[in-house]
Amino acid sequence: MSQPDLMSWRMEKDPVLRSTIVAVALLDRSPDQERFVRMMERGTRAVPSFRRKLVESPFGRTPPRWVDDPDFDLSWHLRRIALPHPGGLDAVLPLVRAAAMSAFDKDRPLWEATIVDGLTDGRAAIVLKVHHSLTDGIGGIQIANEMVDFERDGTDRGPLPEDPPTSAPASALADSVGWYLSTAGEMVGRGVPWLVRSGLRSVTNPVAALRSVVDTARSTARFVQPVFTTLSPVMIGRSTVREVAALDLPLDALRQAGRAADSSLNDAFLAGILLGLKHYHSRHGAQVAELRATLPISLRRESDAIGGNRITLARFALPLDVADPVASMHRVDRIVRSWRDEPAVPLSSAIAGVLNVLPAGVLGGILEHIDFLASNVPGSPIPLYMAGAEVLRYYPFAPTVGSAVNITLMSHTSHCCIGINADSAAVPDLPVLVESLVEGFGDVLAVGGEGTRIEVSLSATTTAQT
């Protein structure tokens, strides 16, 4: 386990911080069972971590070890059910909610895939549940590309890969020593270039070198600074109960809104969230200047292995007192860009290592006072197929990890698929939040001259509260 992987694992000592990723692939037809099993078999051979389980280490702060599961049974991880009555994504979301709220069997590999038949017009869905310690969002897309087809009739990938070789069982002590060495190597690999640059600068410009060291120390302090209260006076409760919803809007419309404001798609996405949260707080009679957000910053390099976590979590305040969507996009761009350029970003593994030394309760205290988490994951620009069925939409429902709500966008062909995972203690009226977000994204899309209809899906339990 890397330090970021370990942080995703350790934080679950507090169940509010459960790190379960759930994704829904909405399909145009029911997938062929035999082809589906073969697809998943290929995937687990191509990405052997999906055949491994975690074993706790007896040595202090050393993380659990990934070991081959001698009892790996693919059929246990694959399920198939049918809805009692035809429905759309609304009918699938209660299954997403249950998956997000339930823990894994930690004696088995940490993933499950469920085909859901019986949707309206002969459609189907696949609900995929994965523990965050296995992968981040971009890693998940890489894993999916090892399994899916690019044509309905299938993609010739040759014969199934051989069974991944069973790793030799190392002793816990040897494995622990190896982890410390590899962790040190990773830190050196990412930190040495910074040290070299600092060393050279100290010779040619000692004043600038000292300033760089001070700036990096301050930046590191900002990354690990404790947070003791929410900025939102409304979204303050925390619990283990979740409610989920989904939004669907055209990718080109959101991209055009960003371009019209001389901004990016990500700026438009975050501005839509901020305007939506502004509307939500106004509906609750609260005027808030800013909210504290967590944004994952990808550190993934081409040389990195598929899967795993190659991100750092930046926590910072974003403005809620900006009503103009163009001004909001510009403010977002400046703030996010400054955090991506923080001197401490290359040292993120070391920072995660510091956080991993802290008691889980302290880590929870830091994360449970974040107002919201947002993430933008680039998906596939071309059609994908699963066992003969075309993927129409692909919705991500990422964990709240202590925040009031996680709002994650994944692009798929021409669509922005937005998954909303909310802590019901913080957001007891999810339909009101969804309505507010629709209004906020509507404000942003209008910048691009688009009067686009935004599709909304709510789970049955959420709808019952309206």
Side-chain angles (χ1 to χ4, degrees):
M1 268 189 165
S2 68
Q3 291 286 2
D5 296 344
L6 176 58
M7 190 165 69
S8 293
W9 179 257
R10 283 192 67 246
M11 67 174 60
E12 286 204 358
K13 291 183 181 295
D14 181 348
V16 173
L17 304 181
R18 185 164 288 156
S19 298
T20 301
I21 300 173
V22 185
V24 176
L26 189 62
L27 310 176
D28 71 337
R29 63 174 67 172
S30 180
D32 178 80
Q33 180 66 21
E34 183 178 343
R35 289 179 62 182
F36 177 69
V37 173
R38 191 163 61 248
M39 179 187 81
M40 299 305 294
E41 176 74 25
R42 175 182 294 277
T44 62
R45 293 189 188 190
V47 188
S49 58
F50 276 62
R51 290 173 173 247
R52 293 173 181 156
K53 65 178 182 177
L54 286 168
V55 175
E56 292 289 345
S57 170
F59 297 104
R61 295 293 177 180
T62 306
R65 297 178 293 146
W66 291 111
V67 300
D68 295 314
D69 181 5
D71 300 320
F72 177 73
D73 180 357
L74 180 64
S75 66
W76 187 90
H77 296 269
L78 305 181
R79 297 95 191 272
R80 190 159 196 154
I81 64 173
L83 296 176
H85 306 287
L89 181 61
D90 288 349
V92 180
L93 291 183
L95 301 174
V96 174
R97 177 177 182 263
M101 291 174 60
S102 58
F104 283 94
D105 179 349
K106 295 180 180 179
D107 292 321
R108 300 179 187 274
L110 304 176
W111 66 276
E112 301 168 4
T114 302
I115 296 176
V116 183
D117 288 313
L119 275 69
T120 304
D121 297 329
R123 295 182 175 182
I126 296 177
V127 177
L128 181 64
K129 175 181 176 179
V130 179
H131 195 279
H132 211 318
S133 61
L134 274 175
T135 186
D136 55 30
I138 295 177
I141 294 297
Q142 293 176 334
I143 292 170
N145 286 338
E146 294 291 325
M147 300 187 293
V148 299
D149 294 319
F150 302 106
E151 297 177 357
R152 191 182 294 276
D153 292 337
T155 300
D156 184 7
R157 296 178 181 269
L160 281 175
E162 296 293 328
D163 282 334
T166 301
S167 56
S171 71
L173 177 58
D175 209 43
S176 298
V177 171
W179 179 80
Y180 282 114
L181 291 175
S182 64
T183 299
E186 181 181 2
M187 291 182 181
V188 168
R190 295 186 183 271
V192 162
W194 176 83
L195 291 173
V196 169
R197 288 194 300 271
S198 298
L200 293 175
R201 192 178 297 133
S202 68
V203 175
T204 59
N205 192 338
V207 174
L210 178 60
R211 186 182 300 118
S212 175
V213 171
V214 172
D215 288 345
T216 301
R218 289 174 175 170
S219 176
T220 302
R222 284 192 289 273
F223 265 83
V224 300
Q225 181 179 4
V227 177
F228 298 107
T229 183
T230 61
L231 294 179
S232 170
V234 176
M235 304 185 303
I236 57 176
R238 297 293 185 268
S239 71
T240 60
V241 181
R242 302 289 178 266
E243 295 289 353
V244 295
L247 303 179
D248 190 309
L249 53 98
L251 176 61
D252 284 345
L254 191 61
R255 184 179 285 130
Q256 178 56 35
R259 288 173 178 166
D262 195 25
S263 299
S264 67
L265 182 144
N266 191 62
D267 298 332
F269 169 57
L270 291 175
I273 293 175
L274 291 171
L275 290 168
L277 290 172
K278 178 180 176 64
H279 295 314
Y280 180 73
H281 281 77
S282 295
R283 284 178 165 90
H284 286 272
Q287 301 298 320
V288 184
E290 58 185 10
L291 291 180
R292 189 175 289 108
T294 294
L295 266 70
I297 298 176
S298 178
L299 304 174
R300 191 171 292 276
R301 301 176 296 194
E302 290 187 6
S303 58
D304 288 331
I306 293 177
N309 286 271
R310 302 292 186 271
I311 58 173
T312 187
L313 300 178
R315 299 170 296 124
F316 49 88
L318 288 171
L320 215 66
D321 57 354
V322 180
D324 178 67
V326 174
S328 180
M329 282 187 262
H330 290 169
R331 288 277 296 277
V332 163
D333 177 64
R334 287 195 297 272
I335 295 170
V336 172
R337 191 185 301 274
S338 70
W339 275 88
R340 284 178 175 160
D341 294 336
E342 279 280 333
V345 168
L347 307 177
S348 59
S349 184
I351 292 171
V354 171
L355 294 175
N356 285 333
V357 173
L358 298 176
V362 175
L363 183 59
I366 293 174
L367 297 175
E368 289 176 20
H369 295 102
I370 304 300
D371 297 302
F372 73 97
L373 195 156
S375 183
N376 173 14
V377 181
S380 175
I382 61 174
L384 301 177
Y385 299 86
M386 292 184 172
E390 182 179 356
V391 179
L392 302 176
R393 306 284 192 280
Y394 198 94
Y395 297 94
F397 299 89
T400 63
V401 289
S403 64
V405 60
N406 183 314
I407 304 170
T408 296
L409 180 154
M410 180 173 288
S411 58
H412 181 71
T413 60
S414 60
H415 301 276
C416 288
C417 303
I418 300 175
I420 302 168
N421 185 11
D423 187 324
S424 64
V427 185
D429 51 354
L430 183 57
V432 177
L433 175 61
V434 170
E435 181 182 352
S436 301
L437 289 170
V438 168
E439 187 175 351
F441 280 111
D443 295 339
V444 169
L445 294 177
V447 173
E450 295 284 348
T452 303
R453 180 177 180 270
I454 300 174
E455 298 178 18
V456 177
S457 299
L458 295 166
S459 68
T461 54
T462 300
T463 305
Q465 297 177 4
T466 61

